[in-house]
Amino acid sequence: MRFVSTSKSIRQKRLTLAVQLGLAMSLSHSVYAENSPTSIGNNTVDNIENNVIETSVENSLDTNKVGNDTTAAPSATLDTITVYSDGYRSTGTKTALDPEDAPMSYTRIDQELLQKRQADSVNAALRYEPGVSSESRGTVSIFDEYNIRGFKTYSNFYDGLRLPYDGAWNLMPQVDIYATEAVEVVKGSASSLYGYAAPGGMVNQIAKTPKSTQENEVQLRLGNQNLKEVAVDSTGPITDTLNYRLVALKRQKDGQMQTTEEERLLINPSLEWQATDDVSILANLFYQDDPEMVPSTPLPAVGTVYKASYGKLGSDAYAGDQWNHFSKEVLMPGITINWDINDKLTFKHITRYTDAEAQQRNMYNDEGFVEGSDKILNRVAYTTDERMKNWTTDNQLAYKFDTANTSHNLLFGVEYQETDSTATYYDAFADGTPNLDLSNPDFSQISTDILPLDTFSRYDDIEQSQLGLYVQDEMTWQDWTVVAGLRHDKFKSTLDRTDTSKGKTPSEKMINNDASETSGRLAAIYNFDNGLSPFLSYSQSFQPVVGSNFITNEPFEPTTADQLEAGIKYLSPDRATKGTFAVFDIAQKNVLVSDYVNYTNQTQTGEIESKGFEVSASRMLNDWVDLAASYSYTDAEITEEEVNPETVGNMPAQIAKHKATLWADYYATDKLTLNAGVRYEGGMQLDKQNSDELPSVTLVDVGGSYRINPMLTVGASINNLFDKTYVGACYDINNCWMGPEREMSVSLKASF
């Protein structure tokens, strides 16, 4: 069996479609610009992006003149007032409720903050978010993976719709952070609005959308690991009623692990048509091609966490081979319609189609080292060929009305999605895969022609569908805001599996997972005149599970969770000081449990409880300095597990018990801004047996930007300034991943 790659013709067709759309929009704009009056351009009073109007009130100090020179003192943003338009929908409520007034833990990481932190991935954007362990596999680029409040999250949301994932393999579409206007994080259970969602929380990437004013950006970025990146972001009007946006990026770099590489091509054109005064239509085409990505190849704890006979491995350690490979291609066209039917009634429709595929050549550890050795690693080579097609739609009808002294914003919604995916898996077994000497690795041992990938194979054909009906009432009475929601989901899944072992008759089985779940949320917040706003919420979540119990052959039921959260928010009258404190208790049932001998043998006998608290605050100390700090404590515990009862009372792996961060912005002059951050994580367990605790780690990040002139800005960033070598996380003693090494980059951005 040979590795199957995507046909060049299909890949070429997808790329050509995205490029043609982008060029068509650019040419159309050029024609419009030639026949239009001179625009205000970047001097436009109001800057509208993603239906959010952000107005900054700036306070400039007096200038001091020396001779013919004029030296300006620093000018810092004293206040940012955000006004939401009728089309805006926040992640927390799917309404225009200001996040400051939402009765839940909610964070919006906007474009300005993303640029300050030079975030080039969703994981990087979440580094300073309390309660989130975002870099457990920091050397891996094939998916976004993090823990929120003690629970694993693989799949993000993109403009309110969940990015498809079949729950069984490695094909998970990603949206590059450069195509993202903001990242919104909702902590805790959110199934009452979104259906399938992890209990710890959800991350929603807000897409960049067209603007009515002309703005152009070209950015060049260079860095260590041979980083080379060019990015373009252009938006403006084509006609009086039609606006465009074109986002494109090309990135190449070496992977942190030896012999690995990363490469990405992104093309994201979009059009927004104001059909009438009441109807707007947004068409978005997202295309992302990743011909080279870094696979998730684990290392043993000996040599990473612990010293081996040869010492410890470096941050670039690798257990793979030059043969290893991972590629992914994603095409996602979508359409959004906003209709203001009247002053009280609005309708929103979103539909998105996804066509994605991924090919992988990778390895896993076969019970660690050769007997009697701490450096000769047993490995197993395997390949996967995955394909996925998905379409999803969400339809929202909102009605505003008053009863007595209470204002209501009633939301009705219908969401439906279908996913068809296939995965072909080939395993060479340990006898056919060369071992690796970690002390003196040879990364060119594998020959595809002689690798016995037909030793074992598995073919999965997975069909899934989910229908969700939901209702939510957002009630405002004097200083009270109450949000009550209920959603019912019907989930269907069919897994058609064929296993083939060399010399044996293939075995086939079909597993049907059908489930109906009702999820609710009740939350309230009270706004005092002094800026304090205490809140309380109860919410539920569920996650469908594909597969069956290997003992009983019974289909898995969805995992369910309940969360109780209480907290208090603070916003000073001058809006210079913000703060949030929240305590939570989450209980998850029907957790999958893997057999020690064979991880593919699973039962559903586990329960996990996670409780803790999070505190975050920000303060504008003066015109020169802004500070933001956070601390979170997460105490997760296995409360039930029949297969491995000795783990009851233990903490699951890959969860940071303690996380603390500090971030500072220093506005040295009107042109120069400096940034620095410190982040600490500790209390992470080596495995669920809690055999040991991983060393804590403290990392320092620095950066800054200098505006050369109104058009040119140069930026720089260094993450992990002191280049600490550390283990990001371990699943168990045979599966660990190094944390990201020092990453340095400089950028030059032209805005016109």
Side-chain angles (χ1 to χ4, degrees):
M1 172 64 196
R2 296 183 182 271
F3 178 67
V4 182
S5 61
T6 307
S7 82
K8 291 184 179 180
S9 61
I10 296 176
R11 193 176 288 257
Q12 188 66 37
K13 287 179 181 178
R14 294 168 177 166
L15 176 59
T16 301
L17 175 63
V19 171
Q20 287 177 339
L21 281 174
L23 290 175
M25 291 187 303
S26 300
L27 291 172
S28 299
H29 166 72
S30 299
V31 173
Y32 173 77
E34 290 178 358
N35 296 282
S36 301
T38 303
S39 63
I40 300 177
N42 293 331
N43 296 320
T44 305
V45 176
D46 295 323
N47 180 27
I48 305 177
E49 46 187 346
N50 288 309
N51 297 319
V52 180
I53 307 171
E54 296 191 1
T55 305
S56 297
V57 182
E58 296 188 347
N59 186 26
S60 300
L61 303 180
D62 294 335
T63 59
N64 301 312
K65 295 184 178 181
V66 182
N68 294 325
D69 297 330
T70 302
T71 304
S75 175
T77 300
L78 296 182
D79 187 17
T80 299
I81 302 173
T82 304
V83 181
Y84 298 94
S85 76
D86 292 338
Y88 175 73
R89 300 288 188 272
S90 80
T91 302
T93 59
K94 288 189 179 181
T95 68
L97 182 65
D98 193 314
E100 304 287 349
D101 300 323
M104 64 199 67
S105 295
Y106 173 87
T107 303
R108 178 181 171 92
I109 307 171
D110 60 17
Q111 183 65 208
E112 180 183 6
L113 191 53
L114 290 173
Q115 292 187 16
K116 283 181 179 178
R117 297 178 181 174
Q118 295 284 302
D120 58 3
S121 67
V122 176
N123 284 349
L126 299 174
R127 283 171 175 160
Y128 288 83
E129 183 64 24
V132 181
S133 299
S134 63
E135 293 183 287
S136 58
R137 303 195 202 189
T139 55
V140 176
S141 62
I142 64 173
F143 45 60
D144 298 316
E145 179 194 12
Y146 33 81
N147 276 281
I148 304 178
R149 289 185 171 178
F151 296 96
K152 184 79 69 179
T153 300
Y154 287 107
S155 181
N156 290 341
F157 286 74
Y158 177 45
D159 269 355
L161 297 180
R162 181 176 172 271
L163 292 170
Y165 174 48
D166 61 21
W169 295 94
N170 295 299
L171 177 52
M172 288 166 272
Q174 291 172 291
V175 175
D176 193 271
I177 201 70
Y178 190 75
T180 302
E181 185 63 39
V183 177
E184 297 187 341
V185 184
V186 177
K187 306 287 184 62
S189 305
S191 291
S192 63
L193 280 179
Y194 294 96
Y196 187 166
M202 58 173 289
V203 175
N204 185 26
Q205 295 177 248
I206 309 300
K208 290 181 175 179
T209 55
K211 302 179 184 180
S212 59
T213 57
Q214 187 63 38
E215 297 179 17
N216 302 292
E217 173 186 295
V218 178
Q219 180 174 279
L220 303 176
R221 195 161 67 100
L222 300 173
N224 65 330
Q225 301 175 337
N226 290 320
L227 169 66
K228 297 179 288 291
E229 179 184 284
V230 57
V232 177
D233 186 357
S234 177
T235 185
I238 296 177
T239 69
D240 292 338
T241 60
L242 185 65
N243 302 322
Y244 84 95
R245 191 158 192 168
L246 175 62
V247 179
L249 174 143
K250 175 69 174 178
R251 180 191 300 133
Q252 289 181 315
K253 64 177 296 189
D254 294 335
Q256 179 172 316
M257 293 184 287
Q258 298 176 70
T259 76
T260 63
E261 297 178 4
E262 296 181 34
E263 185 177 350
R264 171 165 291 174
L265 173 65
L266 162 71
I267 302 176
N268 180 203
S270 57
L271 290 169
E272 188 169 39
W273 177 40
Q274 193 67 44
T276 70
D277 290 341
D278 302 319
V279 178
S280 67
I281 301 173
L282 171 66
N284 182 299
L285 177 65
F286 180 90
Y287 174 80
Q288 190 167 290
D289 183 20
D290 298 323
E292 291 288 343
M293 304 183 77
V294 179
S296 182
T297 309
L299 293 159
V302 176
T304 54
V305 181
Y306 308 112
K307 283 187 177 181
S309 59
Y310 55 87
K312 279 191 174 183
L313 298 168
S315 59
D316 63 349
Y318 190 37
D321 192 277
Q322 293 179 2
W323 169 86
N324 288 51
H325 171 86
F326 194 104
S327 64
K328 179 166 58 180
E329 187 183 22
V330 177
L331 178 68
M332 293 193 298
I335 189 167
T336 301
I337 300 173
N338 285 293
W339 179 21
D340 295 332
I341 301 174
N342 53 47
D343 293 340
K344 296 183 177 181
L345 192 63
T346 61
F347 174 74
K348 183 173 186 175
H349 166 83
I350 315 172
T351 293
R352 186 167 69 230
Y353 174 77
T354 301
D355 187 355
E357 55 188 51
Q359 289 82 38
Q360 177 179 210
R361 299 191 296 255
N362 201 6
M363 295 178 186
Y364 62 90
N365 298 336
D366 185 38
E367 300 182 6
F369 297 99
V370 172
E371 186 176 354
S373 174
D374 68 349
K375 62 181 182 179
I376 308 301
L377 187 65
N378 280 313
R379 303 182 300 175
V380 177
Y382 68 92
T383 69
T384 60
D385 186 357
E386 303 175 57
R387 303 173 190 271
M388 174 189 294
K389 296 183 184 297
N390 165 276
W391 75 273
T392 179
T393 180
D394 188 17
N395 302 273
Q396 308 167 20
L397 187 66
Y399 179 60
K400 296 180 179 179
F401 65 97
D402 297 325
T403 59
N405 298 321
T406 305
S407 297
H408 297 261
N409 190 355
L410 197 60
L411 178 69
F412 299 93
V414 180
E415 183 180 7
Y416 181 78
Q417 60 176 310
E418 284 187 1
T419 303
D420 294 332
S421 62
T422 61
T424 305
Y425 174 88
Y426 291 91
D427 194 309
F429 281 12
D431 292 340
T433 307
N435 297 329
L436 182 69
D437 184 349
L438 290 175
S439 68
N440 186 26
D442 180 0
F443 298 117
S444 57
Q445 300 184 68
I446 293 182
S447 172
T448 304
D449 294 332
I450 62 175
L451 195 64
L453 289 172
D454 58 349
T455 304
F456 172 81
S457 67
R458 169 170 288 176
Y459 177 78
D460 280 355
D461 188 345
I462 305 173
E463 296 181 1
Q464 296 176 323
S465 67
Q466 181 180 340
L467 173 65
L469 306 175
Y470 58 91
V471 59
Q472 176 183 269
D473 192 5
E474 179 189 309
M475 298 163 279
T476 303
W477 175 68
Q478 295 183 355
D479 293 317
W480 283 97
T481 298
V482 178
V483 177
L486 199 67
R487 172 167 170 150
H488 183 74
D489 284 277
K490 287 188 68 68
F491 175 82
K492 293 184 178 181
S493 174
T494 300
L495 169 61
D496 190 356
R497 171 170 291 175
T498 301
D499 289 345
T500 304
S501 297
K502 192 173 183 178
K504 296 182 180 180
T505 303
S507 63
E508 297 183 10
K509 68 175 178 180
M510 182 173 290
I511 305 170
N512 294 308
N513 297 82
D514 297 344
S516 295
E517 290 291 334
T518 300
S519 309
R521 175 169 67 183
L522 180 62
I525 188 170
Y526 185 84
N527 296 313
F528 287 101
D529 294 337
N530 60 4
L532 292 173
S533 301
F535 65 93
L536 179 68
S537 73
Y538 170 78
S539 56
Q540 298 172 312
S541 71
F542 84 100
Q543 291 178 283
V545 181
V546 176
S548 63
N549 188 307
F550 83 101
I551 299 175
T552 65
N553 288 322
E554 292 293 323
F556 289 136
E557 299 178 1
T559 62
T560 59
D562 300 271
Q563 175 186 263
L564 185 63
E565 180 182 33
I568 188 167
K569 300 182 180 182
Y570 176 74
L571 180 63
S572 63
D574 61 356
R575 303 181 69 88
T577 303
K578 297 181 181 180
T580 301
F581 174 79
V583 295
F584 62 89
D585 191 330
I586 306 173
Q588 185 185 37
K589 299 180 180 180
N590 296 331
V591 178
L592 291 188
V593 177
S594 296
D595 181 65
Y596 280 147
V597 179
N598 187 348
Y599 74 94
T600 62
N601 293 337
Q602 296 178 314
T603 63
Q604 203 170 25
T605 57
E607 294 185 7
I608 296 175
E609 182 178 10
S610 180
K611 51 189 176 183
F613 67 90
E614 300 155 357
V615 58
S616 61
S618 63
R619 169 70 180 174
M620 297 178 187
L621 297 182
N622 49 46
D623 294 339
W624 293 272
V625 180
D626 294 347
L627 285 180
S630 71
Y631 171 77
S632 58
Y633 172 81
T634 305
D635 184 15
E637 179 183 345
I638 300 171
T639 55
E640 185 176 323
E641 187 168 323
E642 293 180 3
V643 176
N644 309 304
E646 71 278 4
T647 63
V648 174
N650 291 350
M651 186 175 183
Q654 299 179 296
I655 301 169
K657 194 169 197 174
H658 306 276
K659 181 178 180 179
T661 68
L662 177 65
W663 181 268
D665 296 318
Y666 175 56
Y667 306 97
T669 70
D670 282 341
K671 296 182 177 181
L672 177 63
T673 301
L674 301 175
N675 323 107
V678 181
R679 44 195 169 101
Y680 166 87
E681 284 194 359
M684 190 176 294
Q685 295 297 319
L686 175 68
D687 50 30
K688 69 179 182 180
Q689 287 74 35
N690 291 185
S691 59
D692 204 351
E693 185 175 293
L694 296 181
S696 60
V697 61
T698 301
L699 304 173
V700 177
D701 308 316
V702 296
S705 63
Y706 180 77
R707 191 174 74 251
I708 301 172
N709 55 46
M711 187 177 76
L712 294 177
T713 301
V714 62
S717 69
I718 306 176
N719 296 314
N720 189 2
L721 174 65
F722 300 106
D723 199 20
K724 286 193 174 181
T725 299
Y726 65 101
V727 175
C730 295
Y731 176 77
D732 57 28
I733 197 169
N734 292 318
N735 296 273
C736 298
W737 294 268
M738 304 300 293
E741 63 184 2
R742 179 166 58 207
E743 297 174 321
M744 302 180 292
S745 68
V746 294
S747 63
L748 179 64
K749 181 168 65 177
S751 303
F752 52 96

